Amino acid sequence: MQYWLVKSEPDECGIDDFLHSPKTSIPWDGVRNFQARNFLKQMGLGDAVILYHSSCRHIGISGQLQVTRTAYDDPLQFQLDSPYFDAKSTLERPRWVAVDMVYTHKFTTLVPLATLKLQPALSECYLLTHKRLSVMPLTFTEFTLMQKLGGLTH
DNA sequence: GCCAACGTTGGC
DNA sequence: GCCAACGTTGGC
């Protein structure tokens, strides 16, 4: 079992998009950064994922997802009309992968970035040390603290 | 293989 | 809308 955090603009795909189709797996595609892609490839079935809302009015972590399909070739890289088309990808040598995720929990409150920055236990986490990365691992400690801040208890 | 220019992310 | 950070590209 591994723990991850992914970023998305809620206008594109936020926690409510997952909440509104709670049993439907949604492709996490369009990742076009090599470090982020490499983390996507490491995701395992059933891994837990924190969703972060970026570039929006309320920046912060919003809920929890689960991996339902591990890495497969991102079809968008082959679609000419997609903004995620990549001329350097071929069917023989695709460059980019997607995974599928499903809704598991929405936090009782969105935890703002400012709150996360105040946590000493999160000072070393990828979210705060690698500003522009959109897919990243979390330690178990970081993950459970984020869950707790989000109002989820088990 | 270096590194300057360029483009994108994402907070503010 | 600005701009810092930083990943990527391409000339040499």
Side-chain angles (χ1 to χ4, degrees):
Chain A
M1 179 77 167
Q2 302 169 94
Y3 304 93
W4 307 94
L5 182 147
V6 297
K7 293 179 181 173
S8 174
E9 300 186 14
D11 288 350
E12 297 291 325
C13 188
I15 194 66
D16 288 332
D17 295 294
F18 281 94
L19 174 60
H20 291 147
S21 46
K23 304 244 172 90
T24 307
S25 287
I26 296 180
W28 203 262
D29 50 22
V31 170
R32 294 294 179 269
N33 168 282
F34 291 106
Q35 194 178 5
R37 180 204 65 184
N38 293 342
F39 286 136
L40 275 185
K41 286 184 175 180
Q42 292 174 31
M43 287 185 177
L45 209 57
D47 281 1
V49 183
I50 300 271
L51 180 63
Y52 175 90
H53 289 179
S54 66
S55 300
C56 59
R57 190 179 184 90
H58 300 292
I59 295 164
I61 50 174
S62 60
Q64 193 178 319
L65 312 171
Q66 189 175 48
V67 177
T68 53
R69 185 183 176 191
T70 56
Y72 58 96
D73 294 344
D74 181 350
L76 301 181
Q77 69 193 309
F78 306 119
Q79 291 175 18
L80 268 170
D81 59 347
S82 168
Y84 300 109
F85 173 75
D86 185 345
K88 291 180 179 169
S89 286
T90 62
L91 287 169
E92 296 73 29
R93 282 177 168 260
R95 303 177 98 200
W96 307 110
V97 299
V99 301
D100 288 354
M101 298 195 207
V102 72
Y103 173 85
T104 55
H105 305 281
K106 181 175 178 173
F107 289 164
T108 56
T109 54
L110 182 133
V111 184
L113 177 60
T115 302
L116 301 175
K117 286 181 176 173
L118 289 173
Q119 307 297 319
L122 295 178
S123 62
E124 306 288 310
C125 82
Y126 266 91
L127 181 67
L128 302 181
T129 59
H130 293 68
K131 281 180 57 173
R132 298 179 52 211
L133 190 60
S134 65
V135 178
M136 64 199 77
L138 297 174
T139 66
F140 177 70
T141 306
E142 291 163 352
F143 177 81
T144 51
L145 174 57
M146 288 185 182
Q147 270 190 326
K148 190 178 156 199
L149 292 169
L152 300 184
T153 49
H154 296 285

